[in-house]
Amino acid sequence: MKKLLLLVFLMLILISAATISTSKPDAMHTMEGTWELQSFYNYDGDKVDTVKLIDGYRQVKMYYNGSVMWSRTDPNDTIGRFGYGRYHITDRDLVEDIEYGDYSMMRALQTLRNFTFELILTDSTYSQITLDEDGNRTFAENYKRID
């Protein structure tokens, strides 16, 4: 009986040690949530210009369960903008496949529906960066998490 108890005790110690020493891999940041546009970047070679939003301009994106929806209000444009579609991310890219949107978006979707961006993602911010055909950065939208 003592041997059995000793064996059970040793097994519990080994299991506890294995659980403590096993580290979990770092989880990939998630896009799920609501994000608000903070600024734009324009790239020109090594030069980066930050463009702040004008008063009254607001753009919000929501990512949930593989779906993306965005909405924009621009005080210089009397027509609001919106779009809806599917998205997925990799360790480097954000891919959005827009299915429908406002009238102007639907006209644009006749030529291009799939948008691939370089993605820089943290828990509270992300940047979606447009690349030219040579892989050089040209433009970025910079968001912060608001939910």
Side-chain angles (χ1 to χ4, degrees):
M1 182 71 171
K2 287 183 180 180
K3 287 183 181 183
L4 181 60
L5 286 175
L6 182 61
L7 182 60
V8 169
F9 181 70
L10 285 174
M11 287 177 54
L12 286 174
I13 290 175
L14 289 173
I15 291 171
S16 297
T19 303
I20 292 170
S21 67
T22 304
S23 63
K24 295 180 180 176
D26 291 336
M28 189 170 173
H29 299 291
T30 180
M31 291 293 295
E32 294 217 357
T34 307
W35 304 81
E36 185 170 3
L37 183 66
Q38 299 300 297
S39 65
F40 301 101
Y41 289 161
N42 286 317
Y43 295 90
D44 185 13
D46 292 335
K47 185 178 175 192
V48 180
D49 289 324
T50 301
V51 179
K52 297 289 185 184
L53 305 179
I54 62 171
D55 287 340
Y57 187 101
R58 189 165 188 208
Q59 183 166 306
V60 174
K61 283 187 154 186
M62 293 173 277
Y63 294 92
Y64 179 71
N65 201 25
S67 295
V68 58
M69 187 172 87
W70 62 268
S71 176
R72 178 179 76 198
T73 300
D74 182 345
N76 296 321
D77 188 352
T78 59
I79 302 171
R81 300 281 186 241
F82 74 90
Y84 172 82
R86 307 289 299 162
Y87 83 96
H88 71 273
I89 64 172
T90 67
D91 60 341
R92 186 179 185 277
D93 296 323
L94 165 63
V95 179
E96 295 180 352
D97 185 22
I98 304 301
E99 297 172 22
Y100 71 90
D102 62 81
Y103 178 75
S104 295
M105 189 68 191
M106 291 306 293
R107 286 193 331 196
L109 292 177
Q110 292 175 2
T111 58
L112 181 63
R113 288 183 173 267
N114 188 274
F115 301 87
T116 300
F117 305 101
E118 178 183 348
L119 176 64
I120 299 174
L121 175 63
T122 71
D123 286 332
S124 59
T125 65
Y126 90 88
S127 293
Q128 63 181 52
I129 304 165
T130 303
L131 305 176
D132 66 14
E133 59 276 351
D134 296 323
N136 300 310
R137 293 175 171 176
T138 60
F139 182 77
E141 293 180 359
N142 306 303
Y143 292 84
K144 81 171 185 179
R145 187 183 296 275
I146 60 173
D147 71 342

